[in-house]
Amino acid sequence: MQQKTSEKVVVRIPPSPTGFFHIGRARMALFNYLFAKKHGGEIVFRLEDTDKERSKKEFEEDIIESLKWLGISYDQGPFRQSERGEIYKKYIQKMLDNGTAYVSHETEGENKEVIRFKNPNKTVTFSDEIRGEISFDTTELKDFVVARNIDDPLYHLTVVIDDHESGITHVIRGEDHISNTPRQILLQEAIGANRPVYAHLPMILAPDRSKMSARHGAVSVREYRAMGYLPHAFNNYLALLGWNPGTEQEIFTMEELIEQFDLKKIQKGGAIFDQKKLDWVNKEHIKLLPEAEQKKLLLKSIENEPYMTGEPELDVEKICWRYINQGETIRHLEKVKELLKEEWTIYKREIMAYSEQEGRGNVLWPVRYALTGAEASPDPFIMLEFLGKEKSLKRIEKAIMALKNAK
Ligand code: GLU
């Protein structure tokens, strides 16, 4: 039975703690979040840890941390399937009693007994918000196993029971779960649960269109976090993996994403993960921040550069703009040194004026290089600010000396 959308929306974020929280699961979480917020709904967070071998506390913590970093909040949970044995037991007993499941005496394999679902062998048809109508003949699933025993339910059953108990109205998840859906629908019918609305998200692909994996670069949220991406820029980029509002807009605040998000605008085909695009989205978000925030981020991004901790090694050749005019360069550096000494509080204006007159590259390149010894670094004014007067003067003096000695 399809639920009416006038009902309160309840979605779920149900990652399995079997690995670090990866971009696929993060996008799933985000889409659920956006959809719930847009419809004034609720979000249930549960950890699907029925696989005792592969589920780890470390991964659980990583998931919780990553959701927090992304700013994806939830209204209920975290629930752990490993703590809900009593609930599952009640349902299994009910299924055994009403004949939708039975204890099967196995002739093959290690388990002598398992609990199997009594498959009605019918065609299940469901309507996916993204992929349209999907029909599946469930006969081929046979009487599939739903629990090892009454205390040990398997994954499909726990998902269905949890969704039912939480009153889930919409299941938004990766396309890799599409083949699980007919099985789960049969189980819903067996326990008398409503059928949620389904939306299966397209796969995230690497640039070569193969399935995204660690061999293509970073796949976990923690890695992107360590690389210094802004959490909201990361969300913005994730949102574009398979969705767009049908306009030219690509940079969104969280409020705009919520406002414009629409399951009907999600594409069917795979979404290519493009780190260059992510970099661009991140830059655009940095530009939107107040100047002080931008500086803080910039400082953080260069805090491990050698020139932030000690005096830079200078390559005399490189001090001069385009490697020429040593004499001129000495003159410019001397001038900047004087300006800094005298006019530290307004150096930017003074140095800018001087470099307009002498040629920007001629003046600003040697200053920046003297300060950092690096060909790529933030602009000289930012570096002057970060290093402070004393260090800056010392470094400029050192560059002057190096040039003089080389002459
Ligand atoms: N636990 C599954 C996962 O992490 C999600 C299951 C579902 O959405 O039904 O991929």
Side-chain angles (χ1 to χ4, degrees), residues 193-352:
N194 281 333
R195 183 188 299 185
V197 174
Y198 286 99
H200 286 93
L201 309 173
M203 297 303 281
I204 299 177
L205 304 175
D208 64 2
R209 299 200 71 85
S210 65
K211 191 167 179 267
M212 183 78 185
S213 74
R215 110 193 120 84
H216 300 106
V219 286
S220 67
V221 171
R222 67 200 320 254
E223 288 170 285
Y224 288 94
R225 181 180 176 180
M227 284 187 255
Y229 289 101
L230 293 180
H232 184 59
F234 198 69
N235 276 331
N236 186 156
Y237 182 66
L238 285 178
L240 298 175
L241 286 175
W243 172 86
N244 72 73
T247 63
E248 295 292 301
Q249 186 177 355
E250 292 193 289
I251 301 299
F252 302 85
T253 62
M254 198 55 138
E255 292 67 35
E256 288 170 327
L257 283 179
I258 291 169
E259 153 108 34
Q260 298 188 36
F261 187 73
D262 182 354
L263 288 176
K264 296 272 185 236
K265 296 215 167 103
I266 295 174
Q267 72 197 42
K268 289 193 189 68
I272 305 222
F273 190 88
D274 175 357
Q275 198 169 340
K276 283 209 189 74
K277 178 87 181 266
L278 167 62
D279 288 342
W280 175 77
V281 170
N282 196 55
K283 276 213 190 87
E284 292 301 307
H285 277 280
I286 290 175
K287 284 192 210 155
L288 297 174
L289 295 173
E291 207 183 320
E293 282 295 306
Q294 292 189 31
K295 276 197 194 138
K296 252 199 343 224
L297 282 172
L298 188 58
L299 191 53
K300 205 171 147 37
S301 73
I302 59 167
E303 71 189 354
N304 295 320
E305 294 293 340
Y307 55 78
M308 294 303 284
T309 51
E311 271 189 36
E313 292 284 329
L314 298 181
D315 181 344
V316 185
E317 294 255 283
K318 290 182 184 161
I319 301 176
C320 307
W321 174 237
R322 298 188 172 137
Y323 308 104
I324 52 167
N325 289 335
Q326 288 198 4
E328 287 288 283
T329 303
I330 294 173
R331 183 166 70 80
H332 297 322
L333 286 174
E334 297 274 16
K335 174 73 184 172
V336 169
K337 203 178 86 183
E338 287 317 306
L339 290 172
L340 287 174
K341 265 195 192 147
E342 306 286 316
E343 320 275 3
W344 177 254
T345 51
I346 51 161
Y347 64 75
K348 182 161 183 178
R349 205 172 72 202
E350 297 294 322
I351 296 173
M352 228 25 217

Side-chain angles (χ1 to χ4, degrees), residues 12 14-16 25 48 155 159 173 177:
R12 25 77 108 214
S16 309
R25 285 180 174 140
E48 301 200 321
Y155 172 71
V159 166
R173 61 184 176 188
H177 290 288

Side-chain angles (χ1 to χ4, degrees), residues 1 3 160 163-164 185 187-196:
M1 204 209 331
Q3 296 206 342
V160 167
D163 285 352
H164 176 52
I185 287 175
L187 293 176
Q188 282 157 9
E189 292 173 354
I191 67 164
N194 281 333
R195 183 188 299 185

Side-chain angles (χ1 to χ4, degrees), residues 12-18 22 25 28 46-48 81 155 159 163 171-174 176-177 180 184:
R12 25 77 108 214
I13 296 178
S16 309
T18 53
H22 62 68
R25 285 180 174 140
M28 174 273 290
R46 73 169 181 249
L47 290 152
E48 301 200 321
Q81 292 190 323
Y155 172 71
V159 166
D163 285 352
V171 168
I172 303 167
R173 61 184 176 188
D176 46 332
H177 290 288
N180 296 334
Q184 293 177 1

